[in-house]
Amino acid sequence: MRKVVVILKSESENADNYGTLLEKHGYEPVFIPTLDFSFKNLDVLRDRLLSPYKYSGLIFTSPRSITAVRDALEGQRKLKDDWKTLDNYSVGETSRELIQRTLDLDTKGHHSGNASNLADFIKTDLYNKTITMPFLFPCGNLKQDVLQNKLSEYGYSLDSVEVYETVPHRDLERNLVALFAGEREKEGDRTIDSLLFFSPSGINYCAHVFEKHRIDLTGKRIIAIGPSTKKAIENKGITVHRTAEKPSPDYVVGALLQDT
C-alpha cells in the first residue's frame, strides 16, 4: 500500500527537495496549493529601499517578502550596495538562497527556523553593537507579532511595510475534497498517511474545508511546521502528531520517521 503524504503548499516552492526525499523513504508526495497572494504597497516599499541610510538592515521571514522587494525594484535586479554593509536577516535556507540569487544580498540567521528564534539570534548577533535605526520589515497581512514584540523587548525597532495579502488558493477546496474522495474509492491501493501544514493561515483555510465537507482526519498523522503552526492546528481541536522545528525537507522527513 502506498502511503500518501499531503504537502499543503505549492509544488513550485522547493518541490523537488520535498518530493525526492519523501519518495526515497517510501512515501508518495501529493502537493496541494493552499495559499495565494496579492501584492500591494510596492511604491511605499520602493521608497524605503531607496533610503538604506535610514535603516539598520532588512529582515525577511517569508518568500513573498523577497518577491515584493524584487518587484518593488522595478527590474533593477539588485538592491543599492549600501544595504550590503548593514545587518540583514532571514528565516530558512531556501529564503537565504533566494535572496542571494534574486537580490544579490547576504543574510544571517537563516538557520533559526522561525521568527521567535530569529529575534533571539539578532539579539546575540548585535551584542555590543549600538543600533539606533529601525530594521525594514516587508511582511504580509497575517504576520504574527512575535518578531516585533521580541525585538522591541530587546531594544530594537521595526519599520513594517505590509506588502502582500494572503488568501486561500482558488482550487484548495476542490483539490482537498477530490483527494479524500479518491482515497475512499481506491481503498486498499493507497492511503493518506500524513498531512503537512506550513502556516497558521494554511490550517485555518483547510479546517474550513474539513468542517464544511465533514472530512474525517482520524488515523491521519498531522505534522506542523514550526510552533506557531502547531498552536494554530491545536486551536482547531486537531491533534498534532509531530512538529518539524524548521521548514526544510530534512526536518519534515525526520518528523515523519519518528513514528516508524
Side-chain angles (χ1 to χ4, degrees):
M1 181 183 295
R2 290 178 294 166
K3 290 185 176 181
V4 172
V5 176
V6 183
I7 304 169
L8 290 150
K9 66 183 298 187
S10 169
E11 189 170 3
S12 63
E13 297 178 39
N14 204 26
D16 289 343
N17 289 338
Y18 280 98
T20 302
L21 198 53
L22 286 167
E23 287 171 352
K24 179 181 176 182
H25 288 278
Y27 294 102
E28 178 187 340
V30 173
F31 290 87
I32 292 187
T34 307
L35 307 176
D36 212 344
F37 308 94
S38 59
F39 291 92
K40 62 180 185 178
N41 296 329
L42 296 188
D43 54 339
V44 176
L45 179 59
R46 184 181 310 115
D47 288 342
R48 304 286 204 280
L49 294 171
L50 293 175
S51 304
Y53 60 89
K54 294 181 179 179
Y55 296 98
S56 294
L58 269 160
I59 296 179
F60 298 92
T61 58
S62 78
R64 270 69 57 188
S65 61
I66 303 167
T67 301
V69 169
R70 182 201 66 192
D71 291 350
L73 292 173
E74 292 186 312
Q76 294 177 46
R77 299 194 63 176
K78 66 176 185 176
L79 292 160
K80 282 178 168 287
D81 286 341
D82 290 347
W83 285 104
K84 295 181 180 181
T85 65
L86 303 180
D87 292 294
N88 303 298
Y89 301 94
S90 65
V91 173
E93 181 64 33
T94 301
S95 289
R96 183 184 73 91
E97 293 174 355
L98 182 61
I99 294 164
Q100 286 179 326
R101 186 170 66 251
T102 305
L103 305 176
D104 191 26
L105 185 74
D106 288 326
T107 55
K108 299 176 284 186
H110 54 277
H111 59 278
S112 54
N114 59 62
S116 178
N117 291 343
L118 180 63
D120 294 336
F121 174 84
I122 290 173
K123 179 187 178 184
T124 301
D125 188 58
L126 298 178
Y127 184 71
N128 277 343
K129 270 192 175 184
T130 301
I131 301 295
T132 57
M133 300 292 188
F135 289 90
L136 180 57
F137 179 44
C139 59
N141 63 312
L142 300 180
K143 73 174 176 64
Q144 305 287 312
D145 292 328
V146 174
L147 182 68
Q148 182 158 346
N149 291 343
K150 266 200 164 185
L151 288 181
S152 178
E153 177 187 335
Y154 296 153
Y156 308 120
S157 62
L158 289 180
D159 179 9
S160 301
V161 181
E162 196 172 287
V163 293
Y164 65 91
E165 299 270 355
T166 304
V167 296
H169 192 276
R170 62 186 180 278
D171 295 325
L172 175 62
E173 181 173 358
R174 179 172 59 83
N175 288 339
L176 277 177
V177 171
L179 177 69
F180 280 87
E183 181 190 40
R184 290 193 298 270
E185 292 168 3
K186 300 174 182 177
E187 191 171 353
D189 177 36
R190 66 205 290 261
T191 182
I192 298 172
D193 176 83
S194 310
L195 292 89
L196 310 184
F197 292 96
F198 287 78
S199 68
S201 52
I203 178 59
N204 289 339
Y205 295 142
C206 289
H208 172 73
V209 177
F210 298 150
E211 293 165 9
K212 178 180 176 181
H213 294 275
R214 298 183 180 181
I215 293 174
D216 186 6
L217 299 180
T218 302
K220 314 302 182 191
R221 293 190 297 166
I222 307 300
I223 310 296
I225 312 302
S228 60
T229 303
K230 177 178 184 289
K231 182 178 179 181
I233 295 171
E234 291 174 338
N235 286 343
K236 293 295 182 182
I238 300 171
T239 300
V240 176
H241 291 75
R242 290 286 181 265
T243 302
E245 294 303 323
K246 297 183 181 181
S248 77
D250 288 333
Y251 276 82
V252 166
V253 170
L256 282 170
L257 293 179
Q258 284 186 51
D259 288 329
T260 59

